[in-house]
Amino acid sequence: MTRIPFQLTHAAARHRLAALVLLLASSVVSGRGTEPTRLITIATAHAALVLSNNAAGRILELHFGAVPADLSAFKKAPGREREFYPQYGDGFGENFVPDPALQVTHSDGNTSTDLLCRGQRTQPLDADISLTRLELKDPAYPFFVTLCFKTYFNEDVIEAWTEIRHEEAGEVVLHRYASCAPLLTAKAYWLTQFHGDYRHEATLAEEKLAPGTKVLDSRLGVRAARYCLPSCLISLDQPADEESGEMLGASLEWSGSFALAFELDPENRLRATCGINPLGEEYHLKPGVVFKTPAVLWSWSDHGKGQVSRNFHRWALRYGVRDGQKPRPVLCNNWEATDMDFDEHLIASLFDGAQEIGADTFLLDDGWFGNAHPRNHDNAGLGDWQVNTNKLPHGLTYLAGEARRRGVNFGIWLEPEMVNPASDLFTQHPDWAMHQPHRRADLSRNQLDLDLSRPAVREFAWGAVSNTLATPGVSYVKWDANRFVTQPGSTYLPASAQSDLLVDYNFALYDVMARMAERFPDVMAMACSGGGGRVDYGALKFFHSFWPSDNTDPRDRVKIQWGYSHFFPAASMAAHATKMGGRPMKFALDVAMSGAFGVDMDLRKLASDERSSLAAGIALYKNEVREVVEQGDLYRLESPYEKPRAALDFVSPDRARAVLFVYQLTNAPATPVKLCGLDPQRKYRVREVNLAGATGASPAASGKMIDGATLMCDGLQPSCHAEFDSAVFVLAGE
Ligand code: DGJ
């Protein structure tokens, strides 16, 4: 692996690029080739999507990659094989027929669509963000498509989506309605996906794409991920490298079924058709209604996947997750300690433990509700969001007060989209659950999905959220969703519109989530879905963090967190120290410190050295680690997929501070770790921290002042060599 030790951001180069980008954004060029062409450039600091609006009004793609040095290369418009948003059924002449981005049946039964551009507008929204809208229309129908692009200049992110509407006499059926379908051009392409079942989320797998179509998808309906994240990397010309090579990252903002399809055509072009998975989700669009597809976030870099990740992280902290700049509280959770077997007294004793170790917030997980059908097991109670008076006779307000008395905030678990058949809710409203006629209800974790397409159900879900969060003292919520859809049927939707269900569901879900964020701006929120089932930027805009996996064994979490880190910043990734796997406490703490730190242990049963290790770890995290990890730039240094250890560092935006983590996964001799992202000229005081439970002496470098260039070229040798050794170094610049 080639590594470029220093961050290659030179102010002069950036200024030159910025000037060029302004020129591109403002210019519409008439070509002097065989066919006149108007260029449309959608650009960020380092990347550009260049489109042409040809003489006929067709939108063709010329380039997606680095900001081009010279526009004259694009004076000739290409043929329809480079159409940016291909439509089904209108013929491509002798050219290759691409996978359509849009397939529609018009109200008169015509299955073809033809889209020509009628207008274009680019509007700066602020110093960083611009919005470009390309207005397309079918010449034969009052059928309109708007291709939309929001550019985040400094973060190097382009957000692309499509809006579809019509004024035809009746409904139009949308069979396929991709968010966007850009073309990539290179000699060869490597795709990195993040797949994995429950407890093995975000597992990285890379393959060279062969001719034909490779699809990453999910068919789960109400959660994007179980077997695959709706995010991927496409490396151009060479396999993905951490700090070098051309690379695009894509992440779909959608929490339902998705499809990211990559078609390598006979001319070696790669079309990336991304959006909602149309399987079973043909949508019936009424006249006058705007169908807005979810957006895809694109980030391009020629500095490898490390830079693509940093682009996503910076974007997310500024725009993509709630309150990106706000420190995440150190959270204690009772799930792994108690499951649903608790009462008021036990929870209060856990508050004592949380106070002793210095946690900020205590989150009461599943099991606090249901009376006629008490939630003592996962077979009852879901849907009955009243506090269980046996377990918690004084209610949530009292419990929150008990937490506050100990200086700890109080949070609560909810699963508002689901119902157990054993519940008052189901007894009263059996038709509120999704099901198919003549089929036996297919239970998963003993529960069913509520049909959020029905307005009364949506309001019920909102009531569950708003009543619970309005409880005095509640300052945090974990929103869970523990099953996916296997019988997508609605008793609310007419027979002719059953396939609208999952699209309507997800828009209704976002409506409830948006209301939560608006009505409860001070309540922090974690997105969870039976582990990491809802890790996507569709949901995350309403949440502060996500639960990556129910696998909290730190050995496995190293890889799971590594996978998610390609798109999601550490501030958003809940990382809890637990006893799963029986690993050394120091290893569990060190792994959790490279995310949004939390603890899930039975705090009553800790040995005194464990308690003091936890307290010291939390104090260290809050005082010296959290800000750099949550707000800094991540450099993945050594991959646990390639090496016997994982190493990563975070560097503060001003490069004055850094934190290095090393996790030994198998026995191997200690060797130096070369850091990245530091200021080469600056001297850093290097200090190994979190030493309780450390094996071996702290390395000689600890306590010394060392310049950034040396740390990046020669590296720093940790004492780790045996399985589950780990080390954390804090670097403070002069
Ligand atoms: C699944 C989540 O991933 C767990 O953390 C826990 O909240 C359980 N659900 C509760 O049912």
Side-chain angles (χ1 to χ4, degrees), residues 2-17 45-46 156 241-245 300-304 306-307 310-311 314 633 635 655 676-680 712:
T2 42
R3 180 173 298 290
I4 297 177
F6 308 140
Q7 198 183 24
L8 294 177
T9 45
H10 303 298
R14 283 181 70 86
H15 283 135
R16 195 176 61 75
L17 279 171
H46 298 96
D156 265 321
D241 179 70
E242 196 55 44
E243 298 294 335
S244 73
W300 174 91
S301 171
D302 55 1
H303 283 72
Q307 189 58 45
R310 290 185 286 280
N311 293 344
R314 287 201 173 164
D633 282 327
Y635 293 84
R655 296 201 281 171
C676 268
L678 302 177
D679 177 349
M712 293 191 286

Short mmCIF file of all heavy atoms in Angstrom, two decimals, residues 2-17 45-46 156 241-245 300-304 306-307 310-311 314 633 635 655 676-680 712:
data_model
loop_
_atom_site.label_atom_id
_atom_site.label_comp_id
_atom_site.label_asym_id
_atom_site.label_seq_id
_atom_site.Cartn_x
_atom_site.Cartn_y
_atom_site.Cartn_z
N THR A 2 0.68 2.14 -0.95
CA THR A 2 1.46 3.38 -0.92
C THR A 2 0.78 4.37 -0.01
O THR A 2 -0.44 4.48 0.00
CB THR A 2 1.55 4.01 -2.33
OG1 THR A 2 0.27 3.90 -2.91
CG2 THR A 2 2.60 3.36 -3.18
N ARG A 3 1.56 5.07 0.73
CA ARG A 3 0.98 6.03 1.65
C ARG A 3 1.65 7.37 1.44
O ARG A 3 2.86 7.47 1.34
CB ARG A 3 1.21 5.57 3.10
CG ARG A 3 0.64 6.50 4.12
CD ARG A 3 0.77 5.89 5.48
NE ARG A 3 0.04 4.65 5.59
CZ ARG A 3 -1.29 4.58 5.59
NH1 ARG A 3 -2.02 5.65 5.51
NH2 ARG A 3 -1.89 3.42 5.68
N ILE A 4 0.87 8.42 1.35
CA ILE A 4 1.44 9.75 1.26
C ILE A 4 1.38 10.33 2.66
O ILE A 4 0.28 10.50 3.21
CB ILE A 4 0.66 10.61 0.26
CG1 ILE A 4 0.80 9.96 -1.11
CG2 ILE A 4 1.16 12.04 0.25
CD1 ILE A 4 0.04 10.63 -2.20
N PRO A 5 2.54 10.56 3.27
CA PRO A 5 2.51 10.85 4.69
C PRO A 5 1.90 12.19 5.05
O PRO A 5 1.34 12.34 6.11
CB PRO A 5 3.97 10.80 5.11
CG PRO A 5 4.76 10.94 3.86
CD PRO A 5 3.90 10.47 2.75
N PHE A 6 1.97 13.15 4.19
CA PHE A 6 1.49 14.48 4.58
C PHE A 6 0.18 14.79 3.86
O PHE A 6 -0.05 14.38 2.74
CB PHE A 6 2.52 15.56 4.25
CG PHE A 6 3.88 15.27 4.77
CD1 PHE A 6 4.99 15.54 4.02
CD2 PHE A 6 4.04 14.69 6.01
CE1 PHE A 6 6.26 15.26 4.50
CE2 PHE A 6 5.30 14.41 6.50
CZ PHE A 6 6.41 14.68 5.74
N GLN A 7 -0.65 15.55 4.52
CA GLN A 7 -1.91 15.95 3.91
C GLN A 7 -1.59 16.91 2.76
O GLN A 7 -0.95 17.93 2.98
CB GLN A 7 -2.75 16.65 4.97
CG GLN A 7 -4.18 16.72 4.61
CD GLN A 7 -4.93 17.48 5.68
OE1 GLN A 7 -4.36 18.29 6.39
NE2 GLN A 7 -6.21 17.24 5.76
N LEU A 8 -1.99 16.58 1.56
CA LEU A 8 -1.62 17.41 0.41
C LEU A 8 -2.64 18.50 0.16
O LEU A 8 -3.35 18.50 -0.82
CB LEU A 8 -1.47 16.52 -0.83
CG LEU A 8 -0.31 15.53 -0.77
CD1 LEU A 8 -0.31 14.67 -2.01
CD2 LEU A 8 1.01 16.25 -0.63
N THR A 9 -2.78 19.39 1.08
CA THR A 9 -3.68 20.50 0.83
C THR A 9 -2.83 21.77 0.87
O THR A 9 -2.42 22.21 1.93
CB THR A 9 -4.78 20.59 1.90
OG1 THR A 9 -4.17 20.43 3.16
CG2 THR A 9 -5.84 19.54 1.70
N HIS A 10 -2.53 22.28 -0.28
CA HIS A 10 -1.73 23.50 -0.35
C HIS A 10 -2.67 24.66 -0.64
O HIS A 10 -3.47 24.60 -1.57
CB HIS A 10 -0.69 23.38 -1.45
CG HIS A 10 0.22 22.19 -1.26
ND1 HIS A 10 1.03 22.07 -0.17
CD2 HIS A 10 0.39 21.07 -1.99
CE1 HIS A 10 1.69 20.93 -0.24
NE2 HIS A 10 1.31 20.30 -1.34
N ALA A 11 -2.52 25.68 0.13
CA ALA A 11 -3.45 26.81 0.01
C ALA A 11 -3.49 27.35 -1.42
O ALA A 11 -4.56 27.61 -1.96
CB ALA A 11 -3.02 27.91 0.98
N ALA A 12 -2.31 27.43 -2.06
CA ALA A 12 -2.27 28.02 -3.40
C ALA A 12 -3.09 27.18 -4.38
O ALA A 12 -3.87 27.70 -5.18
CB ALA A 12 -0.82 28.12 -3.88
N ALA A 13 -2.90 25.86 -4.28
CA ALA A 13 -3.62 24.97 -5.20
C ALA A 13 -5.12 25.09 -4.97
O ALA A 13 -5.92 25.11 -5.91
CB ALA A 13 -3.17 23.53 -4.97
N ARG A 14 -5.51 25.18 -3.72
CA ARG A 14 -6.94 25.29 -3.42
C ARG A 14 -7.52 26.57 -4.01
O ARG A 14 -8.62 26.58 -4.55
CB ARG A 14 -7.17 25.26 -1.91
CG ARG A 14 -7.07 23.85 -1.34
CD ARG A 14 -7.33 23.86 0.13
NE ARG A 14 -8.74 24.13 0.42
CZ ARG A 14 -9.68 23.19 0.46
NH1 ARG A 14 -9.37 21.95 0.23
NH2 ARG A 14 -10.93 23.50 0.75
N HIS A 15 -6.74 27.66 -3.90
CA HIS A 15 -7.26 28.93 -4.43
C HIS A 15 -7.41 28.86 -5.95
O HIS A 15 -8.37 29.35 -6.51
CB HIS A 15 -6.33 30.08 -4.03
CG HIS A 15 -6.54 30.48 -2.61
ND1 HIS A 15 -5.51 30.72 -1.74
CD2 HIS A 15 -7.68 30.62 -1.90
CE1 HIS A 15 -6.00 31.00 -0.55
NE2 HIS A 15 -7.31 30.94 -0.62
N ARG A 16 -6.42 28.22 -6.59
CA ARG A 16 -6.49 28.11 -8.05
C ARG A 16 -7.74 27.31 -8.45
O ARG A 16 -8.49 27.69 -9.33
CB ARG A 16 -5.22 27.42 -8.57
CG ARG A 16 -4.99 27.56 -10.05
CD ARG A 16 -3.66 26.94 -10.46
NE ARG A 16 -3.58 25.52 -10.16
CZ ARG A 16 -4.19 24.56 -10.86
NH1 ARG A 16 -4.93 24.87 -11.89
NH2 ARG A 16 -4.07 23.29 -10.53
N LEU A 17 -7.94 26.22 -7.74
CA LEU A 17 -9.10 25.38 -8.04
C LEU A 17 -10.40 26.14 -7.79
O LEU A 17 -11.33 26.08 -8.58
CB LEU A 17 -9.08 24.14 -7.14
CG LEU A 17 -8.17 23.03 -7.62
CD1 LEU A 17 -8.04 21.96 -6.56
CD2 LEU A 17 -8.72 22.43 -8.90
N ALA A 45 -14.92 21.85 -4.43
CA ALA A 45 -13.53 22.33 -4.44
C ALA A 45 -12.64 21.48 -5.34
O ALA A 45 -11.79 22.01 -6.05
CB ALA A 45 -12.98 22.35 -3.02
N HIS A 46 -12.82 20.17 -5.32
CA HIS A 46 -11.91 19.31 -6.09
C HIS A 46 -12.60 18.45 -7.13
O HIS A 46 -11.92 17.75 -7.88
CB HIS A 46 -11.14 18.38 -5.13
CG HIS A 46 -10.29 19.12 -4.16
ND1 HIS A 46 -10.70 19.41 -2.89
CD2 HIS A 46 -9.05 19.64 -4.29
CE1 HIS A 46 -9.75 20.07 -2.27
NE2 HIS A 46 -8.74 20.24 -3.09
N ASP A 156 -16.57 18.87 -0.46
CA ASP A 156 -16.42 18.03 -1.65
C ASP A 156 -17.50 16.95 -1.72
O ASP A 156 -17.21 15.77 -1.99
CB ASP A 156 -15.03 17.38 -1.69
CG ASP A 156 -14.06 18.19 -2.54
OD1 ASP A 156 -14.50 18.71 -3.58
OD2 ASP A 156 -12.89 18.31 -2.15
N ASP A 241 -7.12 2.25 -2.33
CA ASP A 241 -6.01 2.46 -1.40
C ASP A 241 -6.46 3.52 -0.40
O ASP A 241 -7.32 4.34 -0.70
CB ASP A 241 -4.77 2.93 -2.18
CG ASP A 241 -3.61 3.18 -1.23
OD1 ASP A 241 -3.09 2.19 -0.70
OD2 ASP A 241 -3.27 4.35 -1.00
N GLU A 242 -5.82 3.50 0.76
CA GLU A 242 -6.29 4.39 1.82
C GLU A 242 -6.00 5.87 1.50
O GLU A 242 -6.86 6.72 1.71
CB GLU A 242 -5.62 3.97 3.13
CG GLU A 242 -6.24 4.51 4.38
CD GLU A 242 -7.73 4.22 4.56
OE1 GLU A 242 -8.16 3.09 4.32
OE2 GLU A 242 -8.46 5.15 4.94
N GLU A 243 -4.84 6.17 0.98
CA GLU A 243 -4.48 7.58 0.82
C GLU A 243 -4.10 7.96 -0.61
O GLU A 243 -3.63 9.06 -0.86
CB GLU A 243 -3.33 7.96 1.77
CG GLU A 243 -3.66 7.81 3.25
CD GLU A 243 -4.74 8.77 3.76
OE1 GLU A 243 -4.92 9.85 3.17
OE2 GLU A 243 -5.40 8.44 4.76
N SER A 244 -4.26 7.06 -1.57
CA SER A 244 -3.95 7.45 -2.95
C SER A 244 -4.96 6.82 -3.91
O SER A 244 -5.62 5.83 -3.58
CB SER A 244 -2.53 7.03 -3.33
OG SER A 244 -2.49 5.64 -3.52
N GLY A 245 -5.04 7.40 -5.09
CA GLY A 245 -5.91 6.84 -6.13
C GLY A 245 -7.25 7.54 -6.21
O GLY A 245 -7.73 8.13 -5.25
N TRP A 300 -15.92 12.57 -4.44
CA TRP A 300 -14.81 12.11 -5.26
C TRP A 300 -13.50 12.60 -4.64
O TRP A 300 -13.45 13.70 -4.08
CB TRP A 300 -14.95 12.69 -6.68
CG TRP A 300 -13.77 12.38 -7.58
CD1 TRP A 300 -13.62 11.32 -8.41
CD2 TRP A 300 -12.56 13.15 -7.70
NE1 TRP A 300 -12.41 11.37 -9.05
CE2 TRP A 300 -11.73 12.48 -8.63
CE3 TRP A 300 -12.09 14.33 -7.11
CZ2 TRP A 300 -10.48 12.96 -9.00
CZ3 TRP A 300 -10.84 14.80 -7.48
CH2 TRP A 300 -10.04 14.12 -8.42
N SER A 301 -12.47 11.79 -4.77
CA SER A 301 -11.14 12.25 -4.36
C SER A 301 -10.09 11.50 -5.16
O SER A 301 -10.32 10.36 -5.59
CB SER A 301 -10.92 11.99 -2.87
OG SER A 301 -9.57 12.26 -2.55
N ASP A 302 -8.94 12.12 -5.37
CA ASP A 302 -7.81 11.36 -5.92
C ASP A 302 -6.79 11.09 -4.81
O ASP A 302 -5.63 10.82 -5.08
CB ASP A 302 -7.19 12.06 -7.13
CG ASP A 302 -6.76 13.47 -6.83
OD1 ASP A 302 -6.92 13.90 -5.67
OD2 ASP A 302 -6.26 14.15 -7.75
N HIS A 303 -7.24 11.18 -3.57
CA HIS A 303 -6.39 10.82 -2.43
C HIS A 303 -6.98 9.63 -1.68
O HIS A 303 -6.89 9.56 -0.45
CB HIS A 303 -6.23 12.02 -1.49
CG HIS A 303 -5.24 13.02 -2.01
ND1 HIS A 303 -5.52 13.82 -3.08
CD2 HIS A 303 -3.99 13.29 -1.64
CE1 HIS A 303 -4.47 14.57 -3.34
NE2 HIS A 303 -3.52 14.27 -2.48
N GLY A 304 -7.59 8.73 -2.42
CA GLY A 304 -7.99 7.46 -1.84
C GLY A 304 -9.21 7.52 -0.94
O GLY A 304 -9.86 8.55 -0.78
N GLY A 306 -9.39 7.29 2.22
CA GLY A 306 -9.24 8.09 3.45
C GLY A 306 -9.84 9.48 3.26
O GLY A 306 -10.60 9.97 4.09
N GLN A 307 -9.52 10.11 2.12
CA GLN A 307 -10.03 11.47 1.89
C GLN A 307 -11.53 11.45 1.64
O GLN A 307 -12.25 12.34 2.10
CB GLN A 307 -9.29 12.12 0.70
CG GLN A 307 -9.62 13.59 0.53
CD GLN A 307 -9.30 14.41 1.77
OE1 GLN A 307 -8.23 14.27 2.38
NE2 GLN A 307 -10.24 15.25 2.19
N ARG A 310 -13.07 11.32 4.98
CA ARG A 310 -12.99 12.62 5.69
C ARG A 310 -13.98 13.61 5.09
O ARG A 310 -14.57 14.42 5.81
CB ARG A 310 -11.55 13.16 5.66
CG ARG A 310 -10.61 12.34 6.54
CD ARG A 310 -9.22 12.93 6.62
NE ARG A 310 -8.42 12.74 5.42
CZ ARG A 310 -7.77 11.62 5.11
NH1 ARG A 310 -7.81 10.56 5.91
NH2 ARG A 310 -7.05 11.53 4.00
N ASN A 311 -14.19 13.55 3.78
CA ASN A 311 -15.20 14.42 3.17
C ASN A 311 -16.58 14.12 3.74
O ASN A 311 -17.33 15.03 4.11
CB ASN A 311 -15.23 14.24 1.65
CG ASN A 311 -13.96 14.71 0.96
OD1 ASN A 311 -13.17 15.44 1.56
ND2 ASN A 311 -13.77 14.30 -0.28
N ARG A 314 -16.79 15.33 7.41
CA ARG A 314 -16.94 16.80 7.56
C ARG A 314 -18.34 17.23 7.14
O ARG A 314 -18.95 18.10 7.76
CB ARG A 314 -15.89 17.52 6.72
CG ARG A 314 -14.52 17.40 7.35
CD ARG A 314 -13.60 18.49 6.86
NE ARG A 314 -12.35 18.43 7.62
CZ ARG A 314 -11.25 19.02 7.26
NH1 ARG A 314 -11.21 19.71 6.14
NH2 ARG A 314 -10.17 18.93 8.00
N ASP A 633 -10.14 14.86 12.07
CA ASP A 633 -10.06 14.11 10.82
C ASP A 633 -9.53 12.72 11.11
O ASP A 633 -8.52 12.57 11.80
CB ASP A 633 -9.11 14.81 9.84
CG ASP A 633 -9.77 16.01 9.20
OD1 ASP A 633 -10.99 15.95 8.96
OD2 ASP A 633 -9.07 17.00 8.94
N TYR A 635 -7.71 9.25 10.14
CA TYR A 635 -6.77 8.58 9.22
C TYR A 635 -6.71 7.11 9.63
O TYR A 635 -6.30 6.80 10.74
CB TYR A 635 -5.38 9.22 9.30
CG TYR A 635 -5.39 10.64 8.77
CD1 TYR A 635 -5.78 11.70 9.59
CD2 TYR A 635 -5.06 10.90 7.45
CE1 TYR A 635 -5.84 12.99 9.10
CE2 TYR A 635 -5.11 12.19 6.95
CZ TYR A 635 -5.50 13.23 7.79
OH TYR A 635 -5.56 14.51 7.29
N ARG A 655 -4.83 20.78 13.44
CA ARG A 655 -3.68 19.87 13.48
C ARG A 655 -2.81 20.07 14.73
O ARG A 655 -1.64 19.71 14.76
CB ARG A 655 -2.84 19.97 12.20
CG ARG A 655 -3.64 19.53 10.98
CD ARG A 655 -2.75 19.14 9.83
NE ARG A 655 -2.26 20.30 9.11
CZ ARG A 655 -1.34 20.26 8.17
NH1 ARG A 655 -0.80 19.10 7.84
NH2 ARG A 655 -0.94 21.34 7.55
N CYS A 676 -0.62 9.79 10.39
CA CYS A 676 -0.96 10.61 9.23
C CYS A 676 -1.69 11.87 9.69
O CYS A 676 -2.26 11.90 10.79
CB CYS A 676 -1.90 9.86 8.28
SG CYS A 676 -1.05 8.95 7.01
N GLY A 677 -1.67 12.88 8.84
CA GLY A 677 -2.50 14.06 9.05
C GLY A 677 -1.90 15.11 9.97
O GLY A 677 -2.49 16.17 10.17
N LEU A 678 -0.70 14.84 10.54
CA LEU A 678 -0.10 15.80 11.48
C LEU A 678 0.53 16.96 10.71
O LEU A 678 0.76 16.87 9.49
CB LEU A 678 0.97 15.11 12.32
CG LEU A 678 0.52 13.91 13.15
CD1 LEU A 678 1.72 13.29 13.87
CD2 LEU A 678 -0.56 14.32 14.15
N ASP A 679 0.83 18.02 11.42
CA ASP A 679 1.60 19.12 10.84
C ASP A 679 3.08 18.71 10.90
O ASP A 679 3.63 18.54 11.99
CB ASP A 679 1.33 20.38 11.68
CG ASP A 679 2.13 21.57 11.20
OD1 ASP A 679 3.04 21.38 10.36
OD2 ASP A 679 1.86 22.68 11.69
N PRO A 680 3.73 18.53 9.72
CA PRO A 680 5.10 18.00 9.76
C PRO A 680 6.07 18.88 10.53
O PRO A 680 7.05 18.40 11.11
CB PRO A 680 5.48 17.91 8.28
CG PRO A 680 4.45 18.65 7.52
CD PRO A 680 3.23 18.74 8.37
N MET A 712 5.26 10.84 11.29
CA MET A 712 4.62 10.32 10.09
C MET A 712 5.57 9.46 9.26
O MET A 712 5.14 8.52 8.60
CB MET A 712 4.06 11.48 9.26
CG MET A 712 2.89 12.17 9.99
SD MET A 712 1.98 13.32 8.95
CE MET A 712 3.11 14.68 8.86
#
